[in-house]
Amino acid sequence: MFDSFFNDDLFNNFTYGSDIDIYREENQYVVEADLPGFDKEDIEIEFKGDVLSIKAQLNETVEDSSNKNYFYRSRTSRHFEKQVRFKDVDGENIGASYENGVLKVTLPAKLKEEDAVKRIEVV
C-alpha cells in the first residue's frame, strides 16, 4: 500500500520541504504541517474522494487613520496549499488540531474485513 502511495501521480506533484510530514501511526495516517503565523481561522481542510486538501491564506491588513503621506508600505501575505491522496481512509472520522504553529491532521485507516479482529465466544 505504501509503495502505491508514494508512486501516486498526485503525490509526485507534491512539493517537498520541511513544512510538512506524513507518517503512519497505528491505524491512522498523520499529517503535520508547519504553519507559523497563521490563525486556525486562516486554515481550510477538505477531504474529497481520496484527496486531503490543506489551504491557508494570510493577508495582513493594517488600518491607518493617521493621515500619513507614505512613500512605501509593506504587509505580509502568505499562502500554503498542499494536496495528498490517501487510500482506504475513513473520511467521516478525520480530526485536526492546531497548536504552536503546527497543524496536525489525523486520518483513520479503514479496516479491511481481513484486518478486523472478530472474537468468537466459546459455548
Side-chain angles (χ1 to χ4, degrees), residues 29-41:
Y29 296 102
V30 179
V31 176
E32 291 182 347
D34 293 338
L35 299 173
F38 289 94
D39 291 328
K40 68 180 181 178
E41 294 80 18

Side-chain angles (χ1 to χ4, degrees), residues 18-23 30-34 54 102-105:
S18 61
D19 57 353
I20 192 165
D21 295 322
I22 303 169
Y23 56 93
V30 179
V31 176
E32 291 182 347
D34 293 338
I54 301 172
V102 178
L103 174 68
K104 182 175 182 179
V105 182

Side-chain angles (χ1 to χ4, degrees), residues 2-120:
F2 242 81
D3 186 42
S4 64
F5 175 77
F6 285 106
N7 290 322
D8 189 84
D9 288 336
L10 187 60
F11 194 81
N12 289 335
N13 293 331
F14 180 79
T15 55
Y16 293 92
S18 61
D19 57 353
I20 192 165
D21 295 322
I22 303 169
Y23 56 93
R24 178 92 187 223
E25 183 178 79
E26 295 180 14
N27 290 326
Q28 66 183 2
Y29 296 102
V30 179
V31 176
E32 291 182 347
D34 293 338
L35 299 173
F38 289 94
D39 291 328
K40 68 180 181 178
E41 294 80 18
D42 300 328
I43 302 168
E44 180 182 317
I45 305 168
E46 293 180 348
F47 189 76
K48 183 176 180 182
D50 57 357
V51 177
L52 176 72
S53 299
I54 301 172
K55 298 177 186 176
Q57 181 72 37
L58 175 66
N59 293 313
E60 182 183 51
T61 58
V62 177
E63 291 185 27
D64 185 5
S65 60
S66 66
N67 295 326
K68 293 179 183 174
N69 188 12
Y70 290 97
F71 289 102
Y72 176 80
R73 285 187 81 186
S74 177
R75 296 294 171 258
T76 302
S77 179
R78 283 185 267 172
H79 179 77
F80 175 92
E81 187 170 347
K82 300 288 183 195
Q83 290 186 320
V84 184
R85 184 180 310 274
F86 289 92
K87 304 218 181 199
D88 299 322
V89 167
D90 179 2
E92 298 297 317
N93 293 304
I94 295 173
S97 62
Y98 183 66
E99 187 175 342
N100 296 327
V102 178
L103 174 68
K104 182 175 182 179
V105 182
T106 55
L107 302 101
K110 284 183 184 175
L111 290 178
K112 298 177 186 170
E113 284 188 37
E114 62 266 17
D115 293 339
V117 176
K118 296 178 184 176
R119 300 268 181 214
I120 309 208

